Each structure stands twice: as structure tokens, then as C-alpha cells.
Amino acid sequence: MRIALVTAELDACGAELVVRRLALGLRNRGHRVFIYCLQHATLPVDALRAAGVVVREARSIGRDPLLAVKLLRWLRADRVELVHAHANVALTYAWPGAALLRLPVV
């Protein structure tokens, strides 16, 4: 399964560490995993990329009306089958694209 994990940032804090561990666990189980950071990744992502996880950074600042469009393009290009939003802001921006593509969101 192709799974997108959407998070505001990817750093060394609680929720972001969960995203990292989840991505590696899903990849180890044979899934194709994509991490979409709405802002940026301050956590080194080399180990994730080496494990086969695709990390994309939108580098968005503040309220970005085009961020939902960028996520829609990523979801379509990566042929994602499931979207996992890890915060309210991630859900807010990922929901429109996922809905248009008729993708389940958790």
C-alpha cells in the first residue's frame, strides 16, 4: 500500500518521532511510505531516505492557500492510497486533495 504521512514539521519532538517510527515500521512491512512536511524537516532525514521513505518538504510559512494544491499534486504523483494526517493543520491542508482523489484519510 502507498501511504502518505502528513505532518506540520519533522523534528525531534513527540508526534514527529511517532511519524518517523511509523514510517520506518510501515516500510519494513513492505509499504511504500511518503512523509509530507508542511513546513520543514529539522530532523535529519537521511536514515529515512536510506530506508526507502520519501520525504517531501513544502517549506510553507503561515497560512498558505496553495499548500492544499501542492499536497494534491504530491498525492496524485505518488499514487497514494491512504492519507494519515498527524495534526489538525495537516488534516486541514490534506483533506481537500484527498477528497478530490477519493482517498481515505485517518
Side-chain angles (χ1 to χ4, degrees):
M1 180 172 272
R2 302 172 74 84
I3 302 168
L5 306 175
V6 185
T7 184
E9 294 179 307
L10 191 58
D11 55 25
C13 294
E16 290 79 9
L17 288 177
V18 170
V19 170
R20 183 181 180 278
R21 294 173 98 187
L22 182 60
L24 291 173
L26 289 167
R27 183 68 189 125
N28 288 339
R29 286 167 181 77
H31 298 287
R32 186 78 170 111
V33 182
F34 304 86
I35 296 178
Y36 298 158
C37 295
L38 303 182
Q39 296 171 359
H40 62 284
T42 57
L43 183 72
V45 296
D46 296 337
L48 288 167
R49 288 186 172 135
V53 175
V54 175
V55 179
R56 301 195 190 284
E57 299 175 77
R59 299 193 178 274
S60 176
I61 298 172
R63 293 185 176 154
D64 183 354
L66 297 178
L67 185 55
V69 174
K70 183 178 281 192
L71 287 173
L72 168 65
R73 288 180 181 158
W74 287 349
L75 291 169
R76 184 181 302 149
D78 294 332
R79 297 186 330 254
V80 169
E81 299 171 90
L82 174 72
V83 178
H84 187 174
H86 287 271
N88 288 339
V89 68
L91 179 63
T92 300
Y93 285 105
W95 182 270
L100 284 171
L101 296 173
R102 298 181 183 214
L103 299 173
V105 179
V106 294

